[in-house]
Amino acid sequence: DIVMTQSPGSLAVSLGERATISCKSSQDVLHNSDNKNYLTWYQQKPGQPPKLLIYWASTRQSGVPDRFSGSGSGTDFTLTISSLQAEDVAVYYCQQHYNAPYTFGQGTKLEI
Amino acid sequence: EVQLVESGGGLVQPGGSLRLSCAASGFTFSEYWMHWVRQAPGKGLAWVSRIRSDGSSTSYADSVKGRFTISRDNAKNTLYLQMNSLRAEDTAVYYCARDCTTACFIDYWGQGTLVTVSS
């Protein structure tokens, strides 16, 4: 199974500052057939289901503010929030869908 | 508008069974792979199972293999999760989720249904 490791486990950032979350996979999730990284980022607020933020490691879902960006390839990935807003307080998860079981990282709790 | 509505959760004793349902609407259900993902109280997300659009192939997390069965009825636009031999560690909110197409990322989630395994 592919193990997804996120860091840090929690993060406190001031309003307007940059937040950076790391996600590392135990195996390469770059698919040779289509040259896509099978890595997705989700945001989950308390009492709500997760929400899709970023797919294929760097493609922003429609409607997601452009302060959210994803980068990386292979085994090392990063989610960046360029200027933190109050509504960004949430837990963020990465997930690989390269191979079943489609494992998640343990989550990063983002606070102000 | 894509909608996924789970039902069937509740309190069950250890060793018991439960069947979850997920009613899908707002898209052509028969064209999409579907998933179940769970979240234990205060814990992170854990992928449980997925099924191909025509039901011909399924995959499971090791923790549920042999006890849970995912299935679907494309005529009823409904996804199911049959859960047998339930354990306390299966206590969680269970989310129904849609794959973006086939073997892809999850793009829509239901609100979830709570399963509590306790005597």
Side-chain angles (χ1 to χ4, degrees):
Chain A
D1 298 359
I2 298 176
V3 177
M4 307 300 291
T5 303
Q6 286 184 235
S7 60
S10 62
L11 180 64
V13 175
S14 301
L15 289 174
E17 296 299 304
R18 177 185 300 261
T20 302
I21 298 170
S22 171
C23 174
K24 296 183 187 295
S25 58
S26 61
Q27 300 175 34
D28 198 327
V29 298
L30 174 62
H31 216 289
N32 291 332
S33 63
D34 55 13
N35 202 38
K36 290 180 178 178
N37 286 284
Y38 281 41
L39 188 285
T40 308
W41 289 98
Y42 301 95
Q43 175 194 65
Q44 187 179 32
K45 297 181 178 180
Q48 296 184 17
K51 171 189 172 184
L52 173 64
L53 286 180
I54 304 283
Y55 56 92
W56 304 134
S58 61
T59 303
R60 196 180 308 114
Q61 171 69 338
S62 175
V64 172
D66 61 7
R67 63 181 180 272
F68 289 90
S69 63
S71 62
S73 184
T75 61
D76 292 323
F77 301 92
T78 301
L79 174 69
T80 301
I81 308 171
S82 60
S83 177
L84 190 72
Q85 305 299 303
E87 60 265 32
D88 300 335
V89 169
V91 180
Y92 293 84
Y93 295 93
C94 61
Q95 184 198 21
Q96 64 82 18
H97 54 96
Y98 184 89
N99 266 339
Y102 303 120
T103 41
F104 289 88
Q106 76 275 27
T108 295
K109 186 175 184 179
L110 180 58
E111 301 171 308
I112 295 175
Chain B
E1 178 193 4
V2 172
Q3 288 201 0
L4 301 168
V5 179
E6 302 92 339
S7 61
L11 175 64
V12 60
Q13 291 189 340
S17 298
L18 212 55
R19 188 176 84 155
L20 305 184
S21 299
C22 171
S25 61
F27 64 103
T28 305
F29 181 70
S30 60
E31 294 180 355
Y32 289 81
W33 292 27
M34 297 293 295
H35 301 258
W36 287 99
V37 177
R38 68 184 181 183
Q39 186 168 35
K43 303 297 184 182
L45 301 170
W47 178 83
V48 173
S49 183
R50 68 95 176 135
I51 186 168
R52 284 197 182 210
S53 53
D54 61 1
S56 62
S57 173
T58 58
S59 291
Y60 298 92
D62 287 346
S63 58
V64 307
K65 202 172 294 183
R67 300 187 299 122
F68 290 12
T69 302
I70 190 173
S71 62
R72 63 192 297 159
D73 185 334
N74 285 344
K76 295 182 177 180
N77 292 338
T78 303
L79 176 72
Y80 302 101
L81 186 67
Q82 177 67 43
M83 304 185 294
N84 298 331
S85 302
L86 282 161
R87 308 166 179 166
E89 54 265 36
D90 296 318
T91 294
V93 173
Y94 284 75
Y95 294 104
C96 164
R98 191 187 83 164
D99 198 282
C100 81
T101 45
T102 58
C104 191
F105 52 87
I106 289 172
D107 60 356
Y108 285 95
W109 300 70
Q111 290 295 313
T113 186
L114 175 63
V115 173
T116 303
V117 184
S118 175
S119 54

